Amino acid sequence: MSTNQGKKAEETRRNILSAAEELFMTRGYDAVTMREIAKKAGCSHTAIYIYFREKEALLLELSLPILNALTKQLDDIMKQIGLPHEKLTTLSLALI
């Protein structure tokens, strides 16, 4: 794949993720179709499947950074010295 093709593919992928994020946030995950995401992203409804096998894969991709940050935060809390009930309280507040 040439550099230009690679850049175009990455741009298309970012556009799909951005469109999916916006649509999921405004209309809800269940109300959005892959066809709608593709249209908003500026690609064909068949091309979207080159990048994401299904809508769940899009949701997972969008969720991973948030879940990874939360996991790190919870791990950091567990490493702190303190009584178990204090850790539990701190973990609960972090989740909220």
Side-chain angles (χ1 to χ4, degrees):
M1 184 181 299
S2 75
T3 304
N4 282 344
Q5 287 174 325
K7 287 179 183 178
K8 178 69 175 158
E10 185 55 35
E11 180 183 348
T12 300
R13 189 173 189 285
R14 280 193 311 268
N15 289 343
I16 292 168
L17 286 167
S18 178
E21 181 177 28
E22 184 179 331
L23 289 169
F24 291 164
M25 288 177 59
T26 58
R27 296 189 33 224
Y29 174 80
D30 289 330
V32 177
T33 66
M34 290 290 272
R35 189 178 290 263
E36 291 170 320
I37 295 167
K39 182 177 180 182
K40 185 161 189 66
C43 66
S44 73
H45 66 277
T46 54
I48 194 171
Y49 291 100
I50 294 170
Y51 300 93
F52 298 95
R53 188 173 43 123
E54 58 195 8
K55 192 167 68 164
E56 287 177 1
L58 273 164
L59 182 62
L60 176 63
E61 182 84 16
L62 291 169
S63 301
L64 280 177
I66 297 162
L67 294 173
N68 287 336
L70 179 60
T71 300
K72 183 184 178 332
Q73 183 181 8
L74 297 178
D75 285 344
D76 290 346
I77 291 168
M78 289 303 296
K79 291 176 187 173
Q80 294 174 0
I81 303 217
L83 297 172
H85 72 276
E86 292 171 340
K87 285 184 182 182
L88 181 59
T89 300
T90 305
L91 286 168
S92 298
L93 291 173
L95 286 171
I96 294 171

